[in-house]
Amino acid sequence: MMKVHELSERRACKLADLDRSTFQYEKTTGEDDALREELKVLAGKRRRFGYRRLGILLEREGFYANHKKVFRIYTEEGLSVKRRRGRKRAVGTRAPMLMPTGSNQRWSLDFVSDALSDGRRFRTLNVVDDFAREALTILVDTSISGTRVARELSRLIETRGKPKMIVSDNGTELTSHAILKWAKKADVEWHYIAPGKPTQNAFVESFNGRFRDECLNEHLFDSLKDARRIIEAWRIDYNTDRPHTALGGLSPYAFMRRQGRRRPGSLEQRGNSTWSAPLRWSIAFVSPAVST
């Protein structure tokens, strides 16, 4: 138009209803080459990660780009995660996890669901120290997000120290951005078990069974406050009195005393607990014939 009708740029853009900055824009190439290559490498290693989670990994590698640029490159390279139509079975060998030899070497966590007497659902976040089978915390609420999980883990670290590893399944709360950022900031290794393999998280799964059988199925909870009080009382009893055959008939607290360690931080009551009955600390032995 400018050549044919000998119009100025301003006049031609006005007639074409085109902004002059858009007309003058020249695409630059090559500035994102390093970012593009790193994104393809990470996507190859983490084939089931979307662009937001890959963006977090890029930041760890020193590449800073907003989510819109990451998404644009992610789309241009055809890295979108394909929806799986069926379960792909794992092949090859799997190295077994080593047994912990001390406290805070490995924590396991999982969720359990139950209902109040009026039918309202609630969830619990159960965290267990695999070495002494300590129930570090049982967080009770109607909804527990990844941010809430991270906040609870930070509270635990303040009272008893930092674990070397945390084991969990692949639930949405535990694979959220909040958990990924927390694990990086806290410098804690987070191990996800294989999908559909709860036996790889056997310590907390065993605890969940005892918790449901001995506590949840034995009580009716009239309110969330009532559930927190009863569950916290059961947790303290579990750590101080209940014998564990895997610990030679000792409670977690007695086992820790025998190991010459200090009083576990998990024996401290939660701030929202109203249970104030005196604790009876004792060492109990059980014959091998008695089932747990």
Side-chain angles (χ1 to χ4, degrees):
M1 182 184 294
M2 293 172 61
K3 291 182 179 180
V4 174
H5 298 285
E6 297 183 351
L7 298 176
S8 66
E9 178 184 298
R10 184 187 301 275
R11 181 65 176 169
C13 289
K14 185 175 182 180
L15 291 173
D17 195 22
L18 180 67
D19 193 276
R20 291 182 65 192
S21 62
T22 303
F23 176 76
Q24 295 172 353
Y25 173 76
E26 294 182 3
K27 183 178 180 180
T28 57
T29 58
E31 294 182 357
D32 299 327
D33 289 349
L35 175 66
R36 189 181 297 268
E37 291 301 318
E38 185 65 20
L39 181 61
K40 290 194 290 185
V41 170
L42 291 174
K45 295 179 180 178
R46 305 282 189 172
R47 296 182 300 170
R48 303 306 299 173
F49 278 16
Y51 77 96
R52 291 184 182 275
R53 193 166 280 112
L54 289 173
I56 295 176
L57 297 181
L58 283 172
E59 289 186 8
R60 294 181 183 179
E61 299 296 329
F63 294 90
Y64 298 96
N66 62 38
H67 69 279
K68 292 181 289 185
K69 176 181 283 190
V70 174
F71 178 71
R72 175 176 59 80
I73 299 175
Y74 180 82
T75 304
E76 290 174 355
E77 296 297 330
L79 303 176
S80 300
V81 177
K82 304 297 187 298
R83 179 177 295 180
R84 288 178 174 171
R85 298 298 178 183
R87 177 180 295 178
K88 184 176 179 63
R89 301 293 180 180
V91 294
T93 60
R94 182 177 67 248
M97 294 180 63
L98 299 177
M99 290 290 294
T101 57
S103 295
N104 288 351
Q105 289 190 359
R106 190 174 71 214
W107 294 359
S108 299
L109 56 86
D110 198 9
F111 293 98
V112 172
S113 298
D114 203 56
L116 302 177
S117 57
D118 59 5
R120 288 184 297 159
R121 304 292 299 179
F122 68 87
R123 304 181 76 194
T124 70
L125 170 67
N126 301 339
V127 184
V128 175
D129 187 305
D130 293 350
F131 175 66
R133 277 66 167 178
E134 286 181 78
L136 304 182
T137 188
I138 303 179
L139 178 65
V140 182
D141 215 329
T142 53
S143 177
I144 303 176
S145 64
T147 303
R148 184 76 183 279
V149 173
R151 189 164 65 244
E152 185 67 13
L153 291 175
S154 296
R155 185 192 67 82
L156 278 176
I157 288 176
E158 290 179 358
T159 59
R160 60 171 292 117
K162 183 173 66 175
K164 294 181 179 179
M165 176 189 290
I166 294 178
V167 183
S168 76
D169 60 19
N170 295 269
T172 55
E173 300 89 349
L174 304 178
T175 56
S176 63
H177 296 157
I179 291 299
L180 290 176
K181 292 179 179 178
W182 179 89
K184 175 186 175 183
K185 182 178 179 180
D187 192 24
V188 173
E189 180 183 356
W190 198 292
H191 175 79
Y192 293 102
I193 65 174
K197 299 291 184 180
T199 53
Q200 294 181 13
N201 204 9
F203 289 96
V204 75
E205 290 292 342
S206 175
F207 173 82
N208 290 345
R210 305 283 77 75
F211 173 51
R212 184 170 296 280
D213 183 55
E214 300 174 12
C215 182
L216 297 182
N217 291 349
E218 291 293 310
H219 299 89
L220 287 176
F221 307 112
D222 295 328
S223 65
L224 202 59
K225 181 179 180 181
D226 188 42
R228 287 170 176 161
R229 176 181 59 82
I230 294 174
I231 289 173
E232 179 69 2
W234 181 86
R235 185 186 73 88
I236 297 295
D237 178 76
Y238 179 91
N239 284 336
T240 57
D241 278 347
R242 185 187 184 279
H244 296 249
T245 54
L247 303 178
L250 301 176
S251 67
Y253 170 65
F255 180 77
M256 294 294 289
R257 289 191 63 184
R258 175 169 291 188
Q259 297 294 319
R261 291 173 172 81
R262 61 178 177 81
R263 182 174 183 264
S266 64
L267 296 181
E268 304 296 337
Q269 296 184 37
R270 292 183 53 83
N272 57 9
S273 174
T274 58
W275 182 65
S276 59
L279 301 180
R280 177 171 57 88
W281 293 359
S282 63
I283 299 178
F285 294 87
V286 63
S287 65
V290 176
S291 173
T292 59

